Amino acid sequence: MTASEQVDVDGLAELVRGCEDVRARLVLVTDAEGQWRLYHGEVLLDAPDLDTGGEETWLYPAVAFVARRLRGWVVADLLRGKPANIDRFRVFADQQWTHAAADDLHGNQAWTGRTTPWPRTEWTIRRDSTDYRNYGVLVGDTSHPSFLTFDQAVSSFLCRRPHDSRITVDQLWRVIQPRRGAWFRKVTVAPDRLTVDLEGDDLDDVVLELSEPAGSWRLQVEGADSYDFDLPEGLRAESLLIAHRGGKWLDMRHFPAAPYGSARDTSVVWEQPELELELLLADGEGPRLECKREIPKGDPRTRKKMLKTVAAFASQPGGGTILFGIEDDNLEIVGLAEDQSADEQQRQIVDMIRKNLEPAPACHPRVIKHNYKRIIAVDVPGGNQPCAYREGERLEFYVRRGSSSIFASYREIEEGFRLHPGTV
């Protein structure tokens, strides 16, 4: 993702107004006067292949979730702070900011609960982070579900992730525009080559480039097809695969295939899993990687050491990854004992996390085989809200400093709750 750029909200509104219709998902809440106000609006300018469900309305006493195809001019008026009539709702949206942040994201890049197979540009306008109300339990009827908290309902409605307490929404607006000129449908990493399955609506003059510290290789694109890069010595760490034209990138992948702690990039297929493990270990333990020889069992001190690292990863942007089956002092790949099945070992890790951390992060364990040795990698997503380790009646917060997980300071804890009110 490139660094955010600031764009004028009026210019963004004109872009939306130019669309005959758009797909919108709106979260509405009532104010003190009983008027419906926009809490969050997600707008897709052109995404027919993105599953966002059909038209629907979830209505609760003080909260409503509305999914509709709307005229572009209706959403443009809301972006400018003008009220609009949407079915039974008279919706008010304050124009708090004159500028929006614009971010370019590559294909299969996860960002605040959304992933798309193709690259996209997203414009976001942040909401006042202090604006929080407790709406209590949301009880649905036969047409829509019930939720324990407002945040869980938002997660389910926007991200199709029911009861995922790791998803928070701090934007007033999120406008998404696909960029499908050229994009990678699949990238296959083999021991001696890299294969790109390229798709796109405009592939004229597109160049495919694989760049690594020792050099780069380029292929001229001749249409939607599969393209091979021969790699006699295998894929090197910090390689960059990029499609570009006229000095502008269209899609890209950076290796290792996915950032620590994130959901796996489903477009990247590793035909040699050992290579991914070597790339993960290339820089050793640090702010986003922790290694453990074995899964902690009886010793509560060993278990707590692992869990406080998970809490630290979950509380920082980008999260982190824990590798089980790796000596932490010299990074020797020793593998896990196979007296239990891999499924049992993964469940054991996830159960420890769920029972001891609040809120429990949605970890993603997976098995990596290396020379017939079993390694379990646990990817911990992070950055959405503070995560605590429960020690009896006490909640302990941790941060990552280098390769250590240490107690968070009062200032760091206060800052975490200021950015994410109503959590934990």
Side-chain angles (χ1 to χ4, degrees), residues 61 74 97 110 114 126 140 142 150 156 222 301 304 322 337 356 372 376 387 399 422:
V74 174
W97 311 104
R114 171 70 72 200
R126 289 197 173 275
T142 56
F150 173 69
S156 179
E222 298 179 356
R301 292 175 300 177
K304 180 177 178 179
I322 300 181
N356 293 279
Y372 304 103
I376 291 181
C387 178
V399 293

Side-chain angles (χ1 to χ4, degrees), residues 341-399:
S341 70
D343 287 343
E344 289 174 328
Q345 290 173 330
Q346 292 177 84
R347 283 197 300 270
Q348 181 182 346
I349 296 169
V350 171
D351 285 346
M352 274 191 287
I353 293 171
R354 287 177 176 170
K355 292 176 180 177
N356 293 279
L357 299 186
E358 296 185 14
C363 296
H364 309 283
R366 56 199 170 85
V367 176
I368 300 176
K369 285 290 188 178
H370 187 280
N371 293 335
Y372 304 103
K373 297 176 181 178
R374 179 192 296 167
I375 311 299
I376 291 181
V378 179
D379 297 312
V380 183
N384 288 317
Q385 57 185 320
C387 178
Y389 170 79
R390 177 170 285 283
E391 182 74 59
E393 296 299 317
R394 183 178 65 183
L395 293 177
E396 298 178 359
F397 295 87
Y398 293 89
V399 293

Side-chain angles (χ1 to χ4, degrees), residues 39 126-132 151 168-171 315-317 383-386 411-423:
Y39 179 86
R126 289 197 173 275
R127 186 178 59 254
D128 182 358
S129 61
T130 63
D131 181 19
Y132 177 79
D151 284 341
T168 59
V169 177
D170 59 0
Q171 305 110 351
S315 299
Q316 70 180 8
N384 288 317
Q385 57 185 320
R411 181 188 59 80
E412 288 166 326
I413 297 172
E414 181 183 20
E415 178 69 10
F417 281 103
R418 186 185 68 80
L419 292 174
H420 306 284
T423 61

